[in-house]
mmCIF file of all heavy atoms in Angstrom:
data_model
loop_
_atom_site.group_PDB
_atom_site.id
_atom_site.type_symbol
_atom_site.label_atom_id
_atom_site.label_comp_id
_atom_site.label_asym_id
_atom_site.label_seq_id
_atom_site.Cartn_x
_atom_site.Cartn_y
_atom_site.Cartn_z
ATOM 1 N N THR A 3 1.534 5.115 0.555
ATOM 2 C CA THR A 3 0.978 6.194 1.367
ATOM 3 C C THR A 3 1.356 7.535 0.756
ATOM 4 O O THR A 3 2.198 7.631 -0.141
ATOM 5 C CB THR A 3 1.523 6.127 2.805
ATOM 6 O OG1 THR A 3 2.920 6.401 2.769
ATOM 7 C CG2 THR A 3 1.260 4.775 3.425
ATOM 8 N N VAL A 7 4.696 8.825 -1.691
ATOM 9 C CA VAL A 7 4.611 9.649 -2.898
ATOM 10 C C VAL A 7 5.431 10.915 -2.715
ATOM 11 O O VAL A 7 6.194 11.317 -3.588
ATOM 12 C CB VAL A 7 3.140 9.983 -3.235
ATOM 13 C CG1 VAL A 7 3.050 11.011 -4.353
ATOM 14 C CG2 VAL A 7 2.385 8.721 -3.600
ATOM 15 N N ILE A 14 13.048 12.714 -6.770
ATOM 16 C CA ILE A 14 13.117 13.148 -8.168
ATOM 17 C C ILE A 14 13.599 14.590 -8.252
ATOM 18 O O ILE A 14 14.447 14.925 -9.083
ATOM 19 C CB ILE A 14 11.739 12.970 -8.864
ATOM 20 C CG1 ILE A 14 11.433 11.483 -9.031
ATOM 21 C CG2 ILE A 14 11.714 13.691 -10.206
ATOM 22 C CD1 ILE A 14 10.018 11.198 -9.478
ATOM 23 N N GLU A 17 17.286 14.655 -7.652
ATOM 24 C CA GLU A 17 18.031 14.201 -8.834
ATOM 25 C C GLU A 17 18.086 15.292 -9.894
ATOM 26 O O GLU A 17 19.114 15.502 -10.536
ATOM 27 C CB GLU A 17 17.394 12.928 -9.396
ATOM 28 C CG GLU A 17 17.587 11.707 -8.524
ATOM 29 C CD GLU A 17 16.765 10.503 -8.983
ATOM 30 O OE1 GLU A 17 16.037 10.622 -9.997
ATOM 31 O OE2 GLU A 17 16.850 9.451 -8.330
ATOM 32 N N MET A 31 32.805 25.524 -16.478
ATOM 33 C CA MET A 31 34.119 25.041 -16.891
ATOM 34 C C MET A 31 34.407 25.484 -18.324
ATOM 35 O O MET A 31 35.502 25.935 -18.633
ATOM 36 C CB MET A 31 34.199 23.526 -16.770
ATOM 37 C CG MET A 31 35.512 22.960 -17.262
ATOM 38 S SD MET A 31 36.916 23.527 -16.318
ATOM 39 C CE MET A 31 37.048 22.190 -15.191
ATOM 40 N N GLY A 45 46.479 27.992 -33.197
ATOM 41 C CA GLY A 45 47.874 27.562 -33.214
ATOM 42 C C GLY A 45 48.085 26.299 -34.027
ATOM 43 O O GLY A 45 49.054 26.189 -34.780
ATOM 44 N N LEU A 54 52.555 22.867 -44.523
ATOM 45 C CA LEU A 54 52.222 22.928 -45.947
ATOM 46 C C LEU A 54 53.238 23.770 -46.726
ATOM 47 O O LEU A 54 53.565 23.441 -47.871
ATOM 48 C CB LEU A 54 50.815 23.494 -46.141
ATOM 49 C CG LEU A 54 49.669 22.568 -45.744
ATOM 50 C CD1 LEU A 54 48.335 23.304 -45.826
ATOM 51 C CD2 LEU A 54 49.659 21.321 -46.608
ATOM 52 N N TYR A 58 55.203 22.584 -50.056
ATOM 53 C CA TYR A 58 55.236 23.359 -51.304
ATOM 54 C C TYR A 58 56.669 23.711 -51.705
ATOM 55 O O TYR A 58 57.010 23.659 -52.889
ATOM 56 C CB TYR A 58 54.410 24.635 -51.172
ATOM 57 C CG TYR A 58 52.936 24.394 -50.906
ATOM 58 C CD1 TYR A 58 52.199 25.294 -50.147
ATOM 59 C CD2 TYR A 58 52.258 23.271 -51.409
ATOM 60 C CE1 TYR A 58 50.855 25.083 -49.895
ATOM 61 C CE2 TYR A 58 50.915 23.058 -51.155
ATOM 62 C CZ TYR A 58 50.226 23.973 -50.393
ATOM 63 O OH TYR A 58 48.894 23.768 -50.147
ATOM 64 N N ALA A 59 57.500 24.058 -50.713
ATOM 65 C CA ALA A 59 58.897 24.394 -51.004
ATOM 66 C C ALA A 59 59.649 23.158 -51.500
ATOM 67 O O ALA A 59 60.478 23.258 -52.418
ATOM 68 C CB ALA A 59 59.573 24.980 -49.762
ATOM 69 N N GLY A 72 69.324 22.196 -49.305
ATOM 70 C CA GLY A 72 69.091 22.573 -50.687
ATOM 71 C C GLY A 72 69.402 24.039 -50.845
ATOM 72 O O GLY A 72 70.237 24.584 -50.121
ATOM 73 N N PHE A 80 62.340 25.638 -44.299
ATOM 74 C CA PHE A 80 62.402 24.430 -43.484
ATOM 75 C C PHE A 80 62.756 24.772 -42.033
ATOM 76 O O PHE A 80 62.126 24.289 -41.100
ATOM 77 C CB PHE A 80 63.424 23.447 -44.071
ATOM 78 C CG PHE A 80 63.511 22.161 -43.317
ATOM 79 C CD1 PHE A 80 62.549 21.182 -43.481
ATOM 80 C CD2 PHE A 80 64.552 21.927 -42.430
ATOM 81 C CE1 PHE A 80 62.611 19.987 -42.780
ATOM 82 C CE2 PHE A 80 64.627 20.743 -41.721
ATOM 83 C CZ PHE A 80 63.659 19.771 -41.895
ATOM 84 N N VAL A 84 60.582 24.209 -38.587
ATOM 85 C CA VAL A 84 61.110 23.384 -37.494
ATOM 86 C C VAL A 84 61.214 24.202 -36.210
ATOM 87 O O VAL A 84 60.821 23.735 -35.136
ATOM 88 C CB VAL A 84 62.475 22.766 -37.884
ATOM 89 C CG1 VAL A 84 63.147 22.124 -36.686
ATOM 90 C CG2 VAL A 84 62.287 21.756 -39.004
ATOM 91 N N LEU A 94 51.894 25.902 -25.878
ATOM 92 C CA LEU A 94 50.599 25.358 -25.456
ATOM 93 C C LEU A 94 50.538 25.114 -23.951
ATOM 94 O O LEU A 94 49.541 25.433 -23.303
ATOM 95 C CB LEU A 94 50.301 24.059 -26.198
ATOM 96 C CG LEU A 94 49.885 24.181 -27.650
ATOM 97 C CD1 LEU A 94 49.611 22.803 -28.232
ATOM 98 C CD2 LEU A 94 48.680 25.084 -27.820
ATOM 99 N N ALA A 95 51.603 24.554 -23.405
ATOM 100 C CA ALA A 95 51.613 24.254 -21.965
ATOM 101 C C ALA A 95 51.470 25.523 -21.137
ATOM 102 O O ALA A 95 50.632 25.591 -20.226
ATOM 103 C CB ALA A 95 52.891 23.509 -21.599
ATOM 104 N N GLY A 101 46.276 30.574 -18.486
ATOM 105 C CA GLY A 101 44.839 30.782 -18.615
ATOM 106 C C GLY A 101 44.030 30.190 -17.482
ATOM 107 O O GLY A 101 43.056 30.783 -17.026
ATOM 108 N N TYR A 127 61.588 34.971 -41.994
ATOM 109 C CA TYR A 127 62.663 34.001 -42.202
ATOM 110 C C TYR A 127 62.626 33.481 -43.636
ATOM 111 O O TYR A 127 63.658 33.241 -44.259
ATOM 112 C CB TYR A 127 62.530 32.856 -41.209
ATOM 113 C CG TYR A 127 63.802 32.123 -40.867
ATOM 114 C CD1 TYR A 127 63.823 31.231 -39.809
ATOM 115 C CD2 TYR A 127 64.975 32.290 -41.582
ATOM 116 C CE1 TYR A 127 64.976 30.532 -39.469
ATOM 117 C CE2 TYR A 127 66.131 31.597 -41.257
ATOM 118 C CZ TYR A 127 66.126 30.715 -40.205
ATOM 119 O OH TYR A 127 67.266 30.033 -39.879
ATOM 120 N N ALA A 150 55.709 33.854 -16.628
ATOM 121 C CA ALA A 150 55.553 34.606 -15.377
ATOM 122 C C ALA A 150 54.112 34.534 -14.875
ATOM 123 O O ALA A 150 53.877 34.311 -13.674
ATOM 124 C CB ALA A 150 55.990 36.054 -15.582
ATOM 125 N N SER A 152 51.943 32.205 -15.517
ATOM 126 C CA SER A 152 51.727 30.823 -15.061
ATOM 127 C C SER A 152 52.282 30.625 -13.660
ATOM 128 O O SER A 152 51.608 30.086 -12.776
ATOM 129 C CB SER A 152 52.406 29.832 -16.005
ATOM 130 O OG SER A 152 51.859 29.889 -17.276
ATOM 131 N N SER A 162 47.092 29.976 -1.494
ATOM 132 C CA SER A 162 45.733 30.148 -0.992
ATOM 133 C C SER A 162 45.074 28.815 -0.660
ATOM 134 O O SER A 162 44.353 28.711 0.321
ATOM 135 C CB SER A 162 44.879 30.923 -1.992
ATOM 136 O OG SER A 162 44.745 30.206 -3.196
ATOM 137 N N GLY A 166 46.548 28.902 3.003
ATOM 138 C CA GLY A 166 45.509 29.825 3.434
ATOM 139 C C GLY A 166 45.917 31.285 3.301
ATOM 140 O O GLY A 166 45.314 32.167 3.906
ATOM 141 N N LEU A 170 46.684 38.024 -3.294
ATOM 142 C CA LEU A 170 45.971 39.112 -3.956
ATOM 143 C C LEU A 170 45.441 40.106 -2.947
ATOM 144 O O LEU A 170 45.436 41.307 -3.185
ATOM 145 C CB LEU A 170 44.847 38.566 -4.832
ATOM 146 C CG LEU A 170 45.266 37.710 -6.027
ATOM 147 C CD1 LEU A 170 44.054 37.214 -6.787
ATOM 148 C CD2 LEU A 170 46.189 38.496 -6.947
#
Side-chain angles (χ1 to χ4, degrees):
T3 66
V7 171
I14 291 170
E17 290 171 0
M31 177 63 95
L54 288 173
Y58 298 148
F80 182 78
V84 170
L94 285 181
Y127 206 169
S152 297
S162 63
L170 295 179

